[in-house]
Amino acid sequence: MGAGRMQIESFHDTVTGTVTHVVADAATGMAAVIDPVLDFEPQSGTLTSAGADRVIDLVRSRGWQLQWILETHAHADHLSAAQHVRHALGGKVAIGARIREVQQMFRSVFHFERSFLPDGSQFDHLFEDGERFHIGELEVTALWVPGHTPADMAYRVQDAVFVGDTLFMPDVGTARADFPGGDAATLYLSIQRLLALPADSRLHVCHDYPPPERAAAWVSTVGEQRRGNIHVRDGITQDAFVQMRSARDATLSMPTLILPSVQVNVRAGKLPPAEEDGRAYIQVPINAFFNNGALPPGL
């Protein structure tokens, strides 16, 4: 299949650092959106869709038909716009099959309604490792790359790989591994799987947090990562990576939007069911992630 028929457009959300990718088969006009983002302002609880609407407008302007909405994992830093995009353009919402483990972990943390089942049924399709599917006539391979979460998937299309939260740009390094179900040693092995691909493979990252001296970017090659990634370039052992990653993660605060994001994203981008007043509410479980849930005396 000729490389010229694949078209890729990307959108960088400056608030969350997330990159949404649109992949299309120019010959058939079929397309996929990877990791779409809703705009959520936590201080006021305002949820809007300006960023996702830019993606929708692009797909419409090109005359493409949306076939897939692909999530690389249940993100902790933004709310998925999967349902908003599907409402506008159609398509199936898909994620890795290990999302069931993530749903199971967070079901009790957030005291989800009894009707919520941690079986992945909220999504239209669950990918297994190595599963092949198509965007038009472009063949895509789903690659299981756990470590950041148990459910992370990358998607390989010809020489392009959409790596999710595994690798970042070489001068930024790698994703954290301290979320529930994350593991630095597992992340290292997943990254090595990606870095074993041909050196000229293009790695499209899911986030960029650029240093002041450069603009946001989201494409590097396997060769560039192996030569220059500050966390996992050639010569850095698994033990050294785990030591570095663990020490670094201990200094990081939780993402600003982790509580609303997880509640929405394990539901395939759906809000929690509305209460009797017709409003949907996001829970804030107290000390769910710290202090073993214990509260200060007297509370």
Side-chain angles (χ1 to χ4, degrees), residues 117-266:
L117 298 177
D119 60 0
S121 60
Q122 299 80 4
F123 296 83
D124 299 310
H125 188 83
L126 302 180
F127 290 116
E128 298 291 346
D129 184 30
E131 183 174 344
R132 297 183 179 184
F133 61 104
H134 288 83
I135 303 169
E137 295 180 1
L138 297 172
E139 184 175 85
V140 188
T141 303
L143 303 173
W144 182 43
V145 285
H148 175 64
T149 79
D152 282 60
M153 300 295 287
Y155 301 103
R156 185 182 184 188
V157 193
Q158 296 179 347
D159 70 329
V161 189
F162 300 88
V163 300
D165 276 19
T166 52
L167 286 162
F168 297 144
M169 295 300 289
D171 59 349
V172 178
T174 59
R176 65 194 297 170
D178 61 330
F179 293 154
D183 182 78
T186 302
L187 178 60
Y188 180 88
L189 295 176
S190 294
I191 291 171
Q192 296 310 307
R193 182 182 191 186
L194 296 172
L195 296 184
L197 295 171
D200 60 353
S201 299
R202 295 176 293 152
L203 305 181
H204 295 252
V205 302
C206 168
H207 290 97
D208 190 36
Y209 312 101
E213 62 269 18
R214 70 164 173 84
W218 41 83
V219 185
S220 62
T221 66
V222 166
E224 290 168 345
Q225 293 282 358
R226 293 185 64 170
R227 289 190 299 272
N229 187 288
I230 59 174
H231 295 166
V232 288
R233 64 187 176 273
D234 285 355
I236 294 181
T237 65
Q238 183 180 36
D239 287 346
F241 175 79
V242 170
Q243 183 176 1
M244 176 282 302
R245 189 70 265 171
S246 299
R248 179 172 174 77
D249 289 349
T251 70
L252 300 177
S253 59
M254 283 286 131
T256 301
L257 297 181
I258 186 171
L259 296 180
S261 294
V262 171
Q263 293 177 67
V264 169
N265 296 346
V266 298

Side-chain angles (χ1 to χ4, degrees), residues 267-281:
R267 302 173 186 270
K270 299 181 181 74
L271 291 174
E275 299 291 341
E276 292 180 359
D277 61 1
R279 288 196 179 102
Y281 289 85

Side-chain angles (χ1 to χ4, degrees), residues 7-139:
Q7 296 186 13
I8 301 171
E9 300 284 349
S10 301
F11 298 81
H12 181 244
D13 178 65
T14 57
V15 176
T16 66
T18 308
V19 184
T20 298
H21 301 288
V22 183
V23 184
D25 176 6
T28 64
M30 305 301 289
V33 171
I34 303 174
D35 291 334
V37 179
L38 282 176
D39 305 309
F40 184 71
E41 199 278 296
Q43 285 84 356
S44 65
T46 303
L47 185 64
T48 55
S49 61
D53 290 340
R54 292 170 56 212
V55 177
I56 292 168
D57 290 345
L58 171 81
V59 173
R60 285 175 170 163
S61 70
R62 299 289 175 85
W64 292 337
Q65 181 178 343
L66 194 63
Q67 189 173 4
W68 292 100
I69 302 162
L70 304 174
E71 300 283 7
T72 56
H73 63 295
H75 298 266
D77 53 13
H78 71 263
L79 279 68
S80 170
Q83 297 302 322
H84 178 68
V85 171
R86 181 166 69 170
H87 178 77
L89 299 173
K92 294 181 178 181
V93 181
I95 199 167
R98 297 297 184 100
I99 188 62
R100 301 182 186 103
E101 297 176 25
V102 178
Q103 291 176 325
Q104 184 65 48
M105 282 189 293
F106 285 108
R107 182 187 189 186
S108 58
V109 169
F110 292 109
H111 195 61
F112 285 163
E113 67 280 1
R114 290 187 178 183
S115 60
F116 178 89
L117 298 177
D119 60 0
S121 60
Q122 299 80 4
F123 296 83
D124 299 310
H125 188 83
L126 302 180
F127 290 116
E128 298 291 346
D129 184 30
E131 183 174 344
R132 297 183 179 184
F133 61 104
H134 288 83
I135 303 169
E137 295 180 1
L138 297 172
E139 184 175 85

